[in-house]
Amino acid sequence: MTTPDGGPDAAFRPTHVVPRDGLPAWEAPGADRPAASLDAFLPVRLLSRQGDWGEVLCSNGWSAWVDGRLLVAVPQPPPTAGRPVGGAEDPEPLLAATADALARYRRAAGGPAEGFRAAVGGLRAGVVLDGESVWVYDAAAGRWMFGEGGRLSAYAVDAGPGAPPAPEPPPGGGDAAPRADVREEPHPPTRVVDPPGPGGR
């Protein structure tokens, strides 16, 4: 990848950082293989989402698509009174969903054997407690979250990013571009270039 003309953005404000193991980066969602890799702890700004995919912009103007589930959110100012903490970082919803799944499994296990498989079909849950540390499985996003007595952050995913959502037709019919959950100002797209050969050629 290379930077577009214009150089770094002096007003760049990151929303996330790349996790400690780095992230593969694609030119477009669903591309066959990554075009590059983003360094660990690199600050990025999340521009848009398409399912598991997240489009990020780096401070030097590079843009790429990554597995958005693994981005680590940059701490923001505390929420104002009456404003809830973001659902993906607050452990309570995931812990409640895990408790509900366990209760459902226990009810099914205590019932007739012939109905057990149907009662637990599609059920997925997981939690590991180790003192103040907790790992909780987020079934909706297909990832494990980790926390230590507070908010959660992405720890690992159970599979690579899925296919981006199919385009949604406009109300009057016809073709439409894929809908993004979040979108900011337009920017030059990432360009993939061949690495220089020996001697810089």
Side-chain angles (χ1 to χ4, degrees):
M1 286 185 240
T2 185
T3 59
D5 296 337
D9 180 2
F12 181 75
R13 295 289 183 271
T15 60
H16 296 75
V17 296
V18 173
R20 68 175 65 247
D21 294 328
L23 275 181
W26 287 262
E27 187 176 2
D32 289 340
R33 53 185 174 181
S37 181
L38 299 184
D39 293 335
F41 306 116
L42 178 73
V44 297
R45 183 168 187 83
L46 181 64
L47 298 178
S48 64
R49 283 189 181 274
Q50 289 186 25
D52 297 338
W53 296 89
E55 184 186 17
V56 296
L57 179 68
C58 304
S59 62
N60 61 4
W62 287 358
S63 67
W65 290 87
V66 300
D67 188 339
R69 299 171 296 175
L70 289 172
L71 291 171
V72 180
V74 172
Q76 300 296 322
T80 57
R83 182 178 170 190
V85 175
E89 298 176 347
D90 181 3
E92 183 57 33
L94 287 182
L95 291 173
T98 302
D100 290 344
L102 179 58
R104 178 178 159 189
Y105 188 92
R106 291 181 65 183
R107 286 193 303 271
E114 61 273 10
F116 177 74
R117 180 170 296 183
V120 298
L123 189 63
R124 300 190 78 192
V127 61
V128 178
L129 296 173
D130 183 13
E132 64 184 24
S133 300
V134 62
W135 290 260
V136 186
Y137 185 66
D138 180 356
R143 64 182 177 179
W144 283 89
M145 305 292 286
F146 172 75
E148 290 182 308
R151 304 177 82 181
L152 301 175
S153 59
Y155 181 78
V157 293
D158 58 12
E168 293 185 4
D175 296 331
R179 183 181 63 84
D181 300 323
V182 181
R183 185 70 206 170
E184 290 198 351
E185 69 282 348
H187 61 89
T190 296
R191 291 175 290 171
V192 180
V193 297
D194 293 329
R201 296 179 181 175

